[in-house]
């Protein structure tokens, strides 16, 4: 098992996710996510209860990551 990629990362013999650069596509998608989030929040401002629920939902998803 020592030769597995996971064990190599554990023992510092191999890089991990911090050494992997994000692609341009990733940042493009991230920009879309931010734009959609802002649009949803703007529309939900008309209903504070829904906005609060959306914020809790979004925070829960972020906590998973």
């Amino acid at each position: 098992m020592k030769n597995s990629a996971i064990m190599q990362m554990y023992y510092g013999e191999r890089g991990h996710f911090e050494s992997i650069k994000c692609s341009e596509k990733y940042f493009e998608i991230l920009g879309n996510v931010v734009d959609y989030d802002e649009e949803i929040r703007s529309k939900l401002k008309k209903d504070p209860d829904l906005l609060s629920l959306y914020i809790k939902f979004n925070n829960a998803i972020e906590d998973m990551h």
Side-chain angles (χ1 to χ4, degrees):
M1 182 90 166
K2 179 149 176 20
N3 293 329
S4 74
I6 292 171
M7 294 308 292
Q8 288 174 2
M9 287 186 291
Y10 177 78
Y11 288 112
E13 299 167 0
R14 174 188 285 234
H16 39 77
F17 73 93
E18 285 103 353
S19 63
I20 299 172
K21 293 183 180 182
C22 296
S23 67
E24 282 187 37
K25 184 69 173 172
Y26 170 84
F27 288 109
E28 179 184 327
I29 294 169
L30 179 60
N32 289 339
V33 169
V34 170
D35 292 344
Y36 295 145
D37 184 70
E38 289 173 356
E39 185 177 350
I40 289 170
R41 288 174 191 257
S42 171
K43 292 183 179 188
L44 288 177
K45 283 183 181 177
K46 299 173 187 170
D47 188 330
D49 290 335
L50 279 178
L51 178 58
S52 175
L53 180 59
Y54 172 75
I55 290 170
K56 289 176 186 176
F57 167 76
N58 196 45
N59 289 342
I61 290 174
E62 289 181 10
D63 287 345
M64 285 188 335
H65 297 284

